Amino acid sequence: MQRILSEKAYREAVNVIPGGVNSPVRALKSVGASPIFIQHAERDMFTDVDGNNFIDFCLSWGVFILGHGNEKVKAAAIKAISHGSSFGIPTEVETELAELVVKSVPSIEKVRFVSSGTEAVMSAIRLARGYTNRKIIVKFDGCYHGHSDSLLVAAGSGVAQLKQSSSAGVPEEFTQLTISLPFNDLDSVKKIFFEYGKSIAAIILEPVPANMGVVLPQAGFLEGLREITLQYGALLIFDEVISGFRLGIGGAQERLGIIPDLTTIGKIVGGGFPAAAFGGKRDIMDQLAPDGPVYQAGTLSGNPVAMSAGLQTLKLLSTSDFYQDLERKTSIFVARLREITKGKGIIIQQIGSMFTLFFSEKELTNYEDVKQSDLNRFSVFYRKLLEQGVYFSPSPFEANFMSVTHTEAHLEQVLKSVEKALSQES
Ligand code: HOZ
């Protein structure tokens, strides 16, 4: 496969954009490849500037559960643009989408829209501190909550591929109020609460982490966190930027039956446009300005184009059997993948329509396990798939996503490519 024009676009980009990309993982650096520049995307595929086609399992990091370019979502966005694309003044579509979010996500009684997942989490943390009048935040190693300073502690996703454990430019003092613990380790949470419980404002976590690859919460872990937070008067925040509207219309919380105090959502909720949100119990949300003392704002917050695309997307997801069908398709595919990779030191972890393939002999339950997996083998395998037109998310510290538009023929093609890539291993 030739990628001459992508290489040229990359050379031009690096002159004016750091690393040639506007978000680090896209550079494909950690898998030893260079970025692919996209020309067009439709359904389960994209075409690069050289005219190569790729079957896409990244889907803008999970956004396109309906596949790229859904006609109804596109039409809703175009209609919105024709009335004006931003006002800094309220529109009715914001309330319409808010109503649908409140109806769908069990913990959300009121919701505020922002422009990115990072912003949603940053705001939820401030709100939790304002509401509880406490300072400490507990998070988990390998969970990623965007790139705000205080959460860049043992973070997953792109941070996992940095040489140091977190980002330069974050003064130690800024993270002194953040405690990061191993995921799935309830005892360490109990110990920390025993020591600092009265100063802890919140626990934040991805209830199903997708930024250290897909790692599943063990039985009792989320229940334990809910119990401890209630016992000590701290808030429980679920970061459902990825799992929200992905693991079901009510997200991971509905699927797993644990109701947090605050929830952050992103990706799917903007229908492919920059939008995210945070929401939760009414009395907590009412602490936000202009009604309460916790300040939070944004020029493009509740942007009408994003709201319209998000609203149309959620309406399409709300049809019966949507998630069941998507999950069935994913499970069949993953079962086939497991057959092909059997005995080859590969573990595939899946929930709903997301999965990660790890080069590991044993099940992975936390960040350490993922770091111990064979990252070099992953890179070689990844490049072999890329050569065959399969675009997986470019790191074992990420998740792959299925859409309703992935066809059986394309999935068969991917299985063949995986077989071929493995047969070429030396
Ligand atoms: N935070 C995303 C991965 N979990 C990467 C976003 C992007 O590069 O677009």
Side-chain angles (χ1 to χ4, degrees), residues 91-315:
T91 55
E92 287 172 312
V93 66
E94 294 163 62
T95 313
E96 248 191 288
L97 182 56
E99 281 167 356
L100 194 44
V101 169
V102 166
K103 188 175 154 214
S104 308
V105 185
S107 68
I108 299 187
E109 293 173 357
K110 275 192 174 184
V111 61
R112 178 160 283 176
F113 292 106
V114 292
S115 301
S116 75
T118 292
E119 214 185 322
V121 171
M122 189 182 78
S123 309
I125 294 288
R126 184 178 305 146
L127 179 57
R129 285 178 164 147
Y131 180 77
T132 56
N133 202 18
R134 297 175 179 183
K135 294 180 183 172
I136 296 176
I137 299 295
V138 173
K139 71 173 285 291
F140 294 96
D141 303 345
C143 282
Y144 177 73
H145 304 292
H147 61 276
S148 65
D149 286 345
S150 66
L151 291 163
L152 283 179
V153 180
S157 186
V159 185
Q161 307 276 13
L162 292 178
K163 284 199 179 68
Q164 63 277 31
S165 73
S166 196
S167 170
V170 179
E172 210 181 292
E173 291 84 346
F174 284 25
T175 56
Q176 270 168 359
L177 296 171
T178 308
I179 298 174
S180 193
L181 302 172
F183 193 77
N184 272 328
D185 183 352
L186 204 51
D187 283 342
S188 67
V189 179
K190 283 181 186 157
K191 271 189 210 137
I192 283 294
F193 268 81
F194 187 71
E195 203 167 335
Y196 303 106
K198 292 212 166 76
S199 309
I200 297 175
I203 295 182
I204 183 164
L205 76 158
E206 298 177 76
V208 178
N211 285 294
M212 49 176 143
V214 172
V215 167
L216 305 179
Q218 288 174 334
F221 181 61
L222 299 177
E223 289 81 354
L225 298 182
R226 181 65 285 187
E227 223 171 87
I228 293 170
T229 43
L230 283 173
Q231 186 188 338
Y232 284 88
L235 300 188
L236 182 62
I237 308 175
F238 276 5
D239 181 341
E240 296 227 45
V241 167
I242 291 180
S243 59
F245 304 111
R246 166 62 61 182
L247 294 183
I249 196 74
Q253 56 193 262
E254 182 184 53
R255 188 183 177 112
L256 304 172
I258 308 291
I259 310 303
D261 302 295
L262 288 174
T263 299
T264 58
I265 47 178
K267 316 275 186 201
I268 292 173
V269 78
F273 291 86
F278 63 104
K281 295 199 173 122
R282 196 171 281 274
D283 64 318
I284 305 175
M285 293 303 287
D286 284 341
Q287 296 302 308
L288 284 174
D291 291 346
V294 179
Y295 196 71
Q296 183 279 330
T299 299
L300 288 169
S301 294
N303 174 267
V305 182
M307 296 293 101
S308 303
L311 180 63
Q312 184 56 58
T313 301
L314 295 203
K315 280 184 182 165

Side-chain angles (χ1 to χ4, degrees), residues 366-395:
N366 60 33
Y367 194 37
E368 259 326 295
D369 289 347
V370 181
K371 286 202 283 190
Q372 295 301 321
S373 69
D374 194 335
L375 306 178
N376 286 333
R377 216 179 140 202
F378 180 92
S379 299
V380 175
F381 171 76
Y382 187 88
R383 292 198 298 272
K384 293 219 152 78
L385 283 187
L386 209 55
E387 277 305 304
Q388 297 177 78
V390 178
Y391 195 91
F392 272 10
S393 291
S395 155

Side-chain angles (χ1 to χ4, degrees), residues 41 356 409 417:
T356 301
S417 303

Side-chain angles (χ1 to χ4, degrees), residues 285-350:
M285 293 303 287
D286 284 341
Q287 296 302 308
L288 284 174
D291 291 346
V294 179
Y295 196 71
Q296 183 279 330
T299 299
L300 288 169
S301 294
N303 174 267
V305 182
M307 296 293 101
S308 303
L311 180 63
Q312 184 56 58
T313 301
L314 295 203
K315 280 184 182 165
L316 292 169
L317 299 183
S318 303
T319 55
S320 68
D321 295 343
F322 177 90
Y323 287 97
Q324 241 172 297
D325 293 347
L326 186 59
E327 182 161 344
R328 192 176 314 118
K329 177 160 72 171
T330 315
S331 298
I332 293 171
F333 175 68
V334 168
R336 293 282 310 282
L337 264 183
R338 287 190 178 126
E339 265 168 43
I340 289 172
T341 56
K342 203 169 168 194
K344 293 192 159 62
I346 290 174
I347 298 279
I348 300 149
Q349 300 198 161
Q350 178 219 345

